[in-house]
Amino acid sequence: MLQIRQKGGPRDIGCLLFVVWMSDTGALIFGRLMKTSNKEITHQKSQHGVFLSFLKSISPGKTIPGLIGAVITGPISAILYPIDLSNNTTIFSNPLLHKIYLGLALSVVGIIGDLAESSVKRMSGKKDSGGLLPGHGGVVDRFDSLFTAGIVYYYWVLA
């Protein structure tokens, strides 16, 4: 994050925070909406059984609709954030396409960071990573996606 701040500035930090946190919010909203609208289906075996059971073994609150929500919300958030990526179009000639792929990458890598942190908590036998933010899983849970997404953002946009 310090490298992003030094090389890019506050607008780049804001973009990273906005996209990752909106992606997390999209995952929560989509996951909860689909969970409540499909309660009768939850007892049936899913076509994503192995993948879903893998997710549940790491983080019991994760759902396929939540993952889809994160992957949809990330690119939309990147498009909405007022940052100019036209100077850095080495891979993509279209800045809008660049933003869409950046949002998608940050969402996916953010999910991986969240799952990695949840896995560490499971292995250590802890439910929360701290007691400072009760009910939120701890301070690390607020930033776990940023740890991995920040690296991707730095190398994708600023390097």
Side-chain angles (χ1 to χ4, degrees):
M1 293 274 278
L2 291 174
Q3 289 291 333
I4 294 170
R5 170 71 174 102
Q6 289 172 351
K7 193 163 182 179
R11 186 166 272 182
D12 285 293
I13 292 287
C15 182
L16 173 65
L17 294 174
F18 183 71
V19 173
V20 170
W21 286 344
M22 289 303 292
S23 178
D24 283 349
T25 303
L28 177 70
I29 291 171
F30 274 67
R32 290 221 174 136
L33 285 175
M34 295 306 291
K35 193 175 188 179
T36 57
S37 67
N38 292 329
K39 279 189 177 179
E40 65 276 356
I41 299 174
T42 57
H43 296 296
Q44 297 174 1
K45 193 162 190 153
S46 170
Q47 65 186 19
H48 305 287
V50 174
F51 182 67
L52 190 57
S53 62
F54 169 71
L55 287 178
K56 297 283 186 191
S57 71
I58 296 173
S59 185
K62 298 288 183 275
T63 63
I64 297 296
L67 293 174
I68 293 168
V71 170
I72 290 171
T73 310
I76 292 170
S77 302
I79 291 169
L80 294 176
Y81 192 82
I83 192 166
D84 182 20
L85 296 177
S86 61
N87 295 338
N88 186 2
T89 56
T90 56
I91 300 172
F92 307 104
S93 59
N94 183 345
L96 180 63
L97 193 60
H98 193 172
K99 283 183 152 189
I100 290 169
Y101 283 118
L102 175 66
L104 182 64
L106 293 179
S107 296
V108 169
V109 173
I111 291 167
I112 292 169
D114 181 46
L115 289 172
E117 193 268 341
S118 294
S119 178
V120 169
K121 285 192 314 186
R122 290 266 170 248
M123 288 189 300
S124 67
K126 302 280 185 186
K127 182 182 179 324
D128 292 338
S129 58
L132 189 60
L133 298 170
H136 288 275
V139 175
V140 176
D141 267 350
R142 298 296 94 210
F143 297 98
D144 54 7
S145 300
L146 289 171
F147 295 147
T148 51
I151 296 167
V152 169
Y153 187 89
Y154 177 80
Y155 284 106
W156 188 304
V157 177
L158 300 172

